[in-house]
Amino acid sequence: MQKLAALLDRTEWAERPDAWKGRFEGTVFGTNVSVIFYTTDEVGRGPRLHRHAYDEVFIVREGRALFTVGDRQIEAVAGQIVFGPANVPHKFVNLGPGRLETTDIHVTDTIAQEDLD
């Protein structure tokens, strides 16, 4: 079956009209890529420690973040990309000052997460 171009409107994935925050799963397009758009203005805030059975790629779009990926801590700034291998616990927090925005690419058609703390 040949896939066709498709459009997903912002109202179908965004949690807020004023920030890049929300998600969509690859099943919408019949593909193995899902995306979470993460935004926080709160320094010290971020997703809690968790893992996935698939790889994840984090694109830092704005701000500074401290990523914990397994035993490694990585400070990343806007324009940098962090890789999180499958089954490796990870999290990140906003280091500030100001807003942190990331685009988190999940190499799967459906997002599944095991929270660890």
Side-chain angles (χ1 to χ4, degrees):
M1 178 203 294
Q2 184 177 5
K3 294 182 183 179
L4 300 174
L7 174 69
L8 187 64
D9 191 73
R10 182 181 180 87
T11 60
E12 297 176 81
W13 65 263
E15 292 176 21
R16 297 173 26 193
D18 64 332
W20 280 84
K21 186 169 180 125
R23 68 195 255 173
F24 70 87
E25 294 189 329
T27 55
V28 170
F29 298 117
T31 189
N32 288 328
V33 176
S34 299
V35 177
I36 294 178
F37 301 102
Y38 184 82
T39 299
T40 184
D41 293 314
E42 189 176 333
V43 175
R45 172 73 99 179
R48 61 182 165 179
L49 189 68
H50 63 278
R51 68 178 160 210
H52 311 280
Y54 49 80
D55 294 334
E56 186 172 3
V57 176
F58 305 91
I59 301 169
V60 180
R61 297 181 56 225
E62 182 178 341
R64 291 183 329 128
L66 179 63
F67 286 82
T68 301
V69 181
D71 295 336
R72 194 158 174 216
Q73 294 214 318
I74 302 167
E75 187 173 326
V77 298
Q80 293 183 313
I81 299 170
V82 176
F83 174 69
N87 299 308
V88 175
H90 58 276
K91 66 179 182 176
F92 60 88
V93 297
N94 181 4
L95 289 176
R99 174 174 284 186
L100 172 65
E101 283 189 7
T102 66
T103 299
D104 310 337
I105 301 168
H106 295 241
V107 185
T108 183
D109 63 347
T110 304
I111 297 170
Q113 176 172 308
E114 178 186 359
D115 292 330
L116 300 172
D117 66 358

